[in-house]
Amino acid sequence: MQRHLISAADLTRDDAVLILDTAEEMARVADRPIKKLPTLRGRTIVNLFFEDSTRTRISFEAAEKRLSADVINFTAKGSSVSKGESLKDTAQTLEAMGVDAVVIRHGASGAPYRLATSGWIDAAVINAGDGTHQHPTQALLDAFTMRRRLVGRDAGLGQDLSGRRITIVGDVLHSRVARSNVDLLHTLGAQVTLVAPPTLVPVGVHTWPCEVSYDLDSTLAKSDAVMMLRVQRERMNAAFFPTEREYSRRYGLDGLRMARMPEHAIVMHPGPMVRGMEITAEVADSDRCTVVEQVANGVSIRMAVLYLLLGGNEPAVTHTRTTEEK
Amino acid sequence: MDTQDPQNPQHDLPQDPPPSDARPVLEGPDIARVLTRIAHEIVERAKGADDVVLLGIPTRGVFLAQRLAAKLAEITDRKIPVGSLDITMYRDDLRMHPPRALARTEIPGDGIDGRLVVLVDDVLFSGRTIRAALDALNDIGRPRAVQLAVLVDRGHRELPIRADYVGKNLPTSLRETVKVQLAEEDGRDTVLLGAKRTAQQ
C-alpha cells in the first residue's frame, strides 16, 4: 500500500475530502490555549530541504510540533550534500537513524517519488515541492481555503468543490502549484481555467483536466476564486513576455479587475507576493484576498496529512496510483 | 465508546449490524428513566448543578449528554452548557490501527475552567477512553472537578477508573458485546447484549 503523499493526482475524492475534514478539526486546536496534541509522540520526522523555502518548512515544522513529533531540520546548504553526497546516501543515513517520515523539498521533479519507491528508506515520504512538478499540501490548503470561504466552515464538512469555477493566473509553465491545483480541484469536482501568456503555458496542457485562456478579463466574471501565481523576477530576462509592465497590464489583478468578479469571489495567492506586478496592493490588502488565511490553513492541512499518514499503524489515505504505473 | 464500533458518523464504514442473537437489556422507556435518574443524581451531588458542564464523548455520548442537559434544564430551570469531546488524538492504541477520522470537539463558550465537568459516554468498559478524555480535558482547561456518567457499565476495567453515575450495571463476559443504539443515530433506543462474532463468522 502507498503510504506517501507525492502528488495531488494520487488522491481520490474521498481521501481529499477526508484530509480537508480532518484539517477542519485540526484548525480548532489552533484556537486553544494549549496548541498541542500527543498524537505523534515518539515519532521522528525529518524536514529534508534541498531548496530554500522558509514558509513551507516552518509550516511543516509547526504542524509536526503541534502533533508532538520529534523534528529534525536538514538543509542542504552547508551539509554533506553540498560536498557531493547523493540522495541515496542521505536517505540511507536517515534510515539508519530510524526516521518515521521525511518531508522533502527538492529542485528536481520526481526526487520525492524516487525516495519513496526506490527502497532506500522505509519512512513515509511527503512531497513539499519538487521542481516544477507537484506541491500537494499547497493544493490541499488552497482547496481547504476555497471550501471554507465558498461553502462555509461547518457547512463544508464532507463536501467537495463541485461546480465551483476556479481561475489560475500567471506562470503556469514553471508552477508546481498550478499543476497540483489542477489535479486536486478536478478531483474535487471544480472547473479550472488556466490563464497565462502563451509563452508561459506548458506543452501538453491540452491533456490536463482544465481549460486554457489567454484573456484574463473574459474569465473574471464567472470565477468563484482567482488564484494569482508568483512571477519570478529572475525569469524576466528569459523573454517569456516583453516587459514587466506589459505583463502587469494584461495579467495583473488590480482593483478594477477585482470589481468585475462576482461579489462572493475570493482572490488567492500562494505567496510571496510581488506587489505591483501580479497583484496590486489594493487587492492584496482587501478582505477578499486570502493570503494570510492560506498560511494559517497550511498548518492545519499539514497536521491533517501527518496524522492520516503517521497516526496509525497504516495510513488512512489510500492512493489511486498502482504499482504498475511505477 | 468502548464497544467495538468505529465511532465516527462521517467517514467510517457503516457499523456492523448487531448479532442476530443479541437481546435487548434496556429499551427506550428504560433509557429515558435512567437518564432522568442520573440527572437527579447530578443535581443532588452538585447541589443545584450551578456550574455543571456536560461533555459527551462522540458519537453516542454526545446524544446522551444532550438528553441529560434537557432533563437537567427541566429540573433546575436553567440552561446547562453541553459540548462534545473527541478523544481520538489521545487514544493509547493509535499505533495499533489505521488512524480514525476525527469527530467534533466543541467546548461551550464559557470554557471549562473552574466548572464541574461531567463526561458522558454510552458504555464504560476498559476505562481507556476515559483516560484519554482526561488527557484531552487537561489540554483544554482546568475544571474544578471531573465526574463520569455512563449509560452502561459492563465491567472489565483495565485502569483504576470508576463512574460517578451509572445507568445500568451490566455484568458481561469478554465474549459478549454491548451495543447501544440511540434514536438520533440508529433510529431507535436500545441496549443490546450479544455474543462476539468470531473471525470465521
Side-chain angles (χ1 to χ4, degrees):
Chain A
M1 181 193 269
Q2 292 272 349
R3 51 204 198 84
H4 314 288
L5 182 59
I6 305 296
S7 163
D10 295 345
L11 294 169
T12 63
R13 180 217 171 256
D14 287 352
D15 281 341
V17 171
L18 172 63
I19 294 173
L20 300 187
D21 288 354
T22 306
E24 201 63 76
E25 292 307 319
M26 296 295 184
R28 290 168 191 274
V29 176
D31 300 334
R32 293 195 202 162
I34 298 174
K35 301 176 181 52
K36 206 157 171 97
L37 294 163
T39 315
L40 296 184
R41 216 178 47 191
R43 302 255 180 157
T44 308
I45 303 177
V46 173
N47 296 323
L48 187 59
F49 277 61
F50 292 94
E51 242 185 21
D52 294 334
S53 170
T54 312
R55 274 165 188 261
T56 306
R57 187 180 56 73
I58 60 176
S59 176
F60 268 106
E61 195 173 338
E64 290 151 5
K65 287 184 169 166
R66 281 190 188 168
L67 291 173
S68 305
D70 296 323
V71 181
I72 300 172
N73 283 312
F74 176 102
T75 38
K77 234 176 234 169
S79 76
S80 46
V81 170
S82 57
K83 299 170 198 159
E85 190 182 68
S86 70
L87 180 61
K88 180 178 179 180
D89 292 327
T90 307
Q92 285 175 336
T93 307
L94 298 176
E95 175 71 2
M97 289 177 188
V99 165
D100 295 295
V102 179
V103 175
I104 177 172
R105 157 70 64 102
H106 203 289
S109 303
Y113 182 68
R114 184 94 174 109
L115 191 63
T117 54
S118 57
W120 297 332
I121 191 165
D122 198 31
V125 175
I126 298 167
N127 184 358
D130 59 334
T132 59
H133 175 224
Q134 280 279 337
H135 194 356
T137 53
Q138 176 74 40
L140 284 161
L141 78 89
D142 288 338
F144 182 75
T145 309
M146 284 175 212
R147 195 178 78 168
R148 264 199 166 179
R149 280 285 195 117
L150 300 174
V151 188
R153 188 172 172 157
D154 287 327
L157 285 176
Q159 304 289 313
D160 57 18
L161 292 167
S162 303
R164 309 284 161 173
R165 284 168 301 193
I166 319 293
T167 304
I168 301 177
V169 189
D171 183 0
V172 176
L173 179 64
H174 299 101
S175 175
R176 54 191 168 217
V177 176
R179 269 175 189 73
S180 314
N181 265 295
V182 167
D183 289 336
L184 183 70
L185 291 171
H186 173 70
T187 304
L188 288 171
Q191 283 178 293
V192 185
T193 308
L194 298 173
V195 179
T199 48
L200 288 174
V201 173
V203 175
V205 77
H206 61 276
T207 61
W208 297 14
C210 63
E211 288 168 26
V212 180
S213 166
Y214 304 125
D215 180 16
L216 178 58
D217 291 303
S218 66
T219 57
L220 283 176
K222 48 183 188 331
S223 301
D224 296 305
V226 177
M227 184 184 300
M228 306 305 295
L229 298 173
R230 188 159 63 102
V231 176
Q232 293 173 5
R233 285 177 189 276
E234 60 266 29
R235 296 197 180 115
M236 230 49 43
N237 305 327
F240 285 109
F241 45 83
T243 64
E244 200 172 306
R245 207 163 140 235
E246 162 98 11
Y247 178 89
S248 182
R249 204 164 54 78
R250 297 204 53 185
Y251 297 101
L253 192 61
D254 56 15
L256 279 175
R257 284 207 165 102
M258 189 168 70
R260 264 181 254 154
M261 291 162 51
E263 216 153 276
H264 67 273
I266 54 170
V267 176
M268 307 180 69
H269 196 296
M273 292 185 282
V274 182
R275 288 177 182 238
M277 182 162 171
E278 68 246 12
I279 195 164
T280 63
E282 180 192 359
V283 178
D285 297 330
S286 81
D287 292 345
R288 301 168 82 171
C289 183
T290 60
V291 175
V292 181
E293 268 169 71
Q294 284 170 266
V295 175
N297 292 344
V299 177
S300 307
I301 279 290
R302 284 162 185 140
M303 285 174 78
V305 167
L306 289 165
Y307 165 66
L308 292 170
L309 289 184
L310 293 178
N313 64 338
E314 56 182 72
V317 174
T318 53
H319 294 85
T320 50
R321 184 175 355 209
T322 57
T323 41
E324 287 78 42
E325 284 178 77
K326 280 179 192 174
Chain B
M1 201 70 187
D2 274 334
T3 46
Q4 306 163 317
D5 61 311
Q7 291 83 14
N8 199 286
Q10 288 162 22
H11 313 293
D12 279 330
L13 298 170
Q15 287 191 21
D16 292 339
S20 50
D21 59 344
R23 62 183 171 87
V25 285
L26 278 183
E27 296 277 24
D30 307 324
I31 291 178
R33 207 160 36 238
V34 302
L35 287 178
T36 306
R37 173 170 57 74
I38 290 175
H40 280 283
E41 284 175 6
I42 292 174
V43 174
E44 199 176 327
R45 271 187 64 172
K47 301 197 170 52
D50 281 350
D51 60 351
V52 166
V53 177
L54 296 173
L55 289 184
I57 296 176
T59 305
R60 289 170 185 76
V62 179
F63 301 126
L64 291 172
Q66 284 160 353
R67 292 188 194 185
L68 269 179
K71 289 193 188 289
L72 283 172
E74 264 175 43
I75 300 167
T76 62
D77 238 3
R78 278 184 310 103
K79 200 170 179 306
I80 305 294
V82 55
S84 63
L85 182 67
D86 179 43
I87 54 97
T88 310
M89 307 289 274
Y90 295 85
R91 294 183 74 98
D92 58 6
D93 62 352
L94 268 181
R95 293 183 72 160
M96 292 150 80
H97 307 282
R100 297 154 180 263
L102 303 183
R104 176 62 58 89
T105 292
E106 211 138 357
I107 304 301
D110 292 339
I112 57 167
D113 288 346
R115 314 289 289 259
L116 170 63
V117 171
V118 180
L119 293 171
V120 184
D121 204 356
D122 52 357
V123 180
L124 179 60
F125 184 20
S126 66
R128 288 174 190 266
T129 297
I130 305 306
R131 185 214 55 82
L134 293 172
D135 273 2
L137 275 185
N138 218 6
D139 281 358
I140 291 164
R142 188 181 183 282
R144 173 173 72 75
V146 184
Q147 295 179 348
L148 173 62
V150 295
L151 184 61
V152 176
D153 181 351
R154 65 167 294 191
H156 305 289
R157 216 74 79 241
E158 292 165 10
L159 296 169
I161 281 169
R162 183 181 62 82
D164 299 90
Y165 313 102
V166 180
K168 186 176 176 65
N169 278 302
L170 193 62
T172 58
S173 113
L174 281 172
R175 286 188 299 275
E176 289 172 315
T177 59
V178 177
K179 176 135 254 140
V180 173
Q181 297 188 322
L182 293 177
E184 294 91 332
E185 176 82 7
D186 314 289
R188 64 170 184 158
D189 277 359
T190 182
V191 178
L192 297 167
L193 180 66
K196 200 178 223 172
R197 285 158 193 243
T198 55
Q200 289 81 36
Q201 279 178 306

